[in-house]
């Protein structure tokens, strides 16, 4: 589906154009066309490929989707794949994708599996004509910057989720099983985020030093800013991952402590029953020469001894926090 198709010249918007008029504008000096598509049909992308002369391998990747974040060069054209991350109402991480074809006189962005658009990015670019004069390279920067900025709320939400689980872990009566399930679910989300972000950091490095692609010339500082943001995001994700691993180990330790406490309780109550059982068992042998059997007060004395010993054991176990 075509979202918009706009022609720009000398950093200013000329007009919204029809697809059939694209060729008339891309041949103008200092002019470029910015086209945005959402979940296009193969026929739509084929038409755009003919209009801009896109490389067939890049078009195939864009049609197939589900690519790793990457930046590839095909002659003077750049093909960029970015992952879009957002949280739905249930707190699950949803991943989308935007493929961007960038040439000297065009930008074609293709958004898939995401409802978050880039109209704000277009408005931002149009408010900065002095930067939009850099052409397609600045538009690519603005798109990448918007995508990377959207990573921060997702990372913050995951960190808050971890804090909530950690607080619940130390709440009396909480289920250790539920906690460990929540931690592993959070780990799955974090791995999904890391899988989306980490390849992009390495890819953006291609736009900073060495042989910089032609469309990115003069924008070194801007792409450095994106790289710095990505570096912060990656470090933040790694920090959360370390905290998550620690939380998993702590939760397992708490489970072991709970098991140990239960074992102590069973041992303590077992001892309380064992002492009277031992005394009753001894006098239950009924040997003829057992002197205590003939005592007038033998029975109450035996019961009293059992009670005193149990009280003594109970007091000792209570002070040792076994019961």
């Amino acid at each position: 589906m075509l979202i918009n198709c706009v022609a720009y010249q000398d950093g200013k918007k000329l007009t919204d154009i029809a697809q059939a008029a694209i060729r008339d504008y891309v041949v103008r000096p200092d002019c470029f066309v910015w086209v945005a598509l959402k979940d296009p049909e193969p026929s739509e992308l084929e038409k755009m490929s003919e209009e801009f002369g896109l490389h067939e391998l890049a078009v195939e990747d864009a049609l197939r989707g589900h690519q790793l974040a990457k930046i590839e060069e095909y002659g003077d054209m750049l093909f960029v794949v970015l992952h879009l991350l957002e949280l739905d109402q249930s707190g699950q991480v949803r991943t989308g994708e935007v493929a961007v074809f960038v040439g000297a006189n065009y930008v074609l962005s293709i958004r898939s599996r995401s409802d978050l658009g880039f109209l704000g990015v277009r408005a931002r670019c149009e408010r900065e004509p002095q930067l939009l004069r850099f052409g397609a390279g600045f538009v690519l920067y603005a798109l990448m910057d918007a995508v990377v900025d959207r990573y921060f709320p997702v990372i913050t939400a995951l960190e808050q989720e971890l804090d909530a689980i950690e607080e619940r872990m130390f709440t009396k009566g909480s289920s250790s099983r539920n906690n460990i399930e929540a931690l592993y679910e959070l780990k799955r989300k974090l791995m999904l985020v890391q899988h989306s972000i980490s390849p992009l950091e390495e890819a953006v490095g291609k736009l900073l030093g060495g042989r910089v692609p032609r469309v990115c010339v003069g924008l070194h500082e801007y792409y450095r800013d994106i790289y710095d943001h990505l570096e912060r995001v990656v470090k933040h994700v790694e920090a959360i991952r370390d905290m998550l691993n620690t939380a998993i180990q702590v939760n397992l330790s708490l489970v072991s402590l709970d098991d140990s406490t239960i074992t102590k309780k069973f041992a303590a109550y077992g001892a309380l029953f064992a002492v009277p059982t031992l005394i009753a068992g001894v006098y239950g042998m009924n040997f003829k020469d057992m002197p205590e059997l003939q005592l007038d007060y033998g029975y109450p004395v035996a019961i009293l001894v059992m009670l005193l010993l149990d009280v003594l054991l109970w007091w000792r176990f209570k002070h040792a926090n076994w019961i």
Side-chain angles (χ1 to χ4, degrees), residues 237-257:
V237 169
E238 290 176 350
I240 296 176
R241 185 187 61 189
D242 292 340
M243 292 168 61
L244 179 58
N245 290 333
T246 300
I248 291 174
Q249 294 300 319
V250 170
N251 189 76
L252 293 175
S253 298
L254 290 174
V255 171
S256 298
L257 287 174

Side-chain angles (χ1 to χ4, degrees), residues 122-194:
R122 188 182 291 272
R124 170 196 174 186
C125 291
E126 292 175 356
R127 288 195 304 267
E128 300 177 307
Q130 71 281 6
L131 296 176
L132 197 55
R133 286 193 181 94
F134 284 101
F138 178 73
V139 173
L140 175 61
Y141 155 76
L143 288 171
M144 295 179 69
D145 187 52
V147 170
V148 173
D149 284 347
R150 291 174 184 176
Y151 292 155
F152 286 99
V154 176
I155 301 301
T156 300
L158 295 181
E159 188 174 30
Q160 291 173 346
E161 185 175 346
L162 176 58
D163 290 341
I165 297 173
E166 287 180 329
E167 183 176 351
R168 193 163 65 243
M169 282 167 48
F170 295 99
T171 300
K172 186 176 182 179
S174 68
S175 170
S176 297
R177 180 182 180 85
N178 291 341
N179 291 337
I180 200 68
E181 288 179 355
L183 287 170
Y184 273 97
E185 174 63 18
L186 179 58
K187 188 171 185 178
R188 185 192 65 79
K189 295 178 187 178
L190 197 63
M191 292 302 295
L192 181 61
V193 170
Q194 190 172 30

Side-chain angles (χ1 to χ4, degrees), residues 69 151 193-203 230 234 237-238:
Y151 292 155
V193 170
Q194 190 172 30
H195 179 75
S196 299
I197 296 174
S198 295
L200 185 58
E201 183 183 21
E202 180 180 354
L230 277 171
V234 170
V237 169
E238 290 176 350

Side-chain angles (χ1 to χ4, degrees), residues 8 26 34 44 47 53 67 76-77 83 86 106 117 138 143 154 188 199-201 205 225 246-247 266 271 311 322:
Y8 297 88
V26 294
W34 181 357
E44 290 182 273
K47 292 179 182 178
Q67 304 289 312
D76 291 335
M77 184 197 82
H83 285 192
E86 56 186 294
Y106 65 86
F138 178 73
L143 288 171
V154 176
R188 185 192 65 79
L200 185 58
E201 183 183 21
D225 180 65
T246 300
F266 278 127
V311 169
W322 279 39

Side-chain angles (χ1 to χ4, degrees), residues 38-279:
K38 181 181 184 298
D39 297 316
E41 297 293 332
S43 58
E44 290 182 273
L45 192 51
E46 287 292 337
K47 292 179 182 178
M48 289 298 171
S49 177
E50 294 173 2
E51 294 290 345
F52 296 121
L54 307 178
H55 196 283
E56 58 183 8
L57 292 179
V59 173
E60 181 181 349
D61 285 347
L63 281 172
R64 186 185 302 121
H66 301 283
Q67 304 289 312
L68 286 174
K70 61 183 179 178
I71 298 177
E72 295 179 341
E73 288 187 69
Y74 294 93
D76 291 335
M77 184 197 82
L78 280 182
F79 175 61
V80 181
V81 176
L82 306 170
H83 285 192
L84 304 172
L85 299 177
E86 56 186 294
L87 292 173
D88 61 18
Q89 293 182 348
S90 63
Q92 295 297 315
V93 178
R94 293 179 53 194
T95 60
E97 192 173 297
V98 57
V100 187
F101 296 86
V102 185
N105 49 7
Y106 65 86
V107 176
L108 171 62
S109 62
I110 303 169
R111 178 164 48 94
S112 305
R113 307 187 309 280
S114 176
D115 296 328
L116 294 177
F118 293 101
L119 292 178
V121 178
R122 188 182 291 272
R124 170 196 174 186
C125 291
E126 292 175 356
R127 288 195 304 267
E128 300 177 307
Q130 71 281 6
L131 296 176
L132 197 55
R133 286 193 181 94
F134 284 101
F138 178 73
V139 173
L140 175 61
Y141 155 76
L143 288 171
M144 295 179 69
D145 187 52
V147 170
V148 173
D149 284 347
R150 291 174 184 176
Y151 292 155
F152 286 99
V154 176
I155 301 301
T156 300
L158 295 181
E159 188 174 30
Q160 291 173 346
E161 185 175 346
L162 176 58
D163 290 341
I165 297 173
E166 287 180 329
E167 183 176 351
R168 193 163 65 243
M169 282 167 48
F170 295 99
T171 300
K172 186 176 182 179
S174 68
S175 170
S176 297
R177 180 182 180 85
N178 291 341
N179 291 337
I180 200 68
E181 288 179 355
L183 287 170
Y184 273 97
E185 174 63 18
L186 179 58
K187 188 171 185 178
R188 185 192 65 79
K189 295 178 187 178
L190 197 63
M191 292 302 295
L192 181 61
V193 170
Q194 190 172 30
H195 179 75
S196 299
I197 296 174
S198 295
L200 185 58
E201 183 183 21
E202 180 180 354
V204 172
K206 299 178 182 179
L207 308 179
L208 301 179
R211 191 186 65 80
V212 177
R214 183 178 301 178
V215 295
C216 300
V217 172
L219 294 167
H220 175 274
E221 293 181 356
Y222 294 93
Y223 287 108
R224 166 64 67 181
D225 180 65
I226 293 177
Y227 186 84
D228 290 342
H229 287 181
L230 277 171
E231 195 172 35
R232 284 172 52 199
V233 170
V234 170
K235 288 182 178 179
H236 204 161
V237 169
E238 290 176 350
I240 296 176
R241 185 187 61 189
D242 292 340
M243 292 168 61
L244 179 58
N245 290 333
T246 300
I248 291 174
Q249 294 300 319
V250 170
N251 189 76
L252 293 175
S253 298
L254 290 174
V255 171
S256 298
L257 287 174
D258 289 341
D259 290 343
S260 177
T261 301
I262 293 173
T263 301
K264 289 178 180 178
K265 288 181 182 293
F266 278 127
Y269 284 112
L272 293 179
F273 282 100
V275 170
T277 302
L278 174 63
I279 296 174

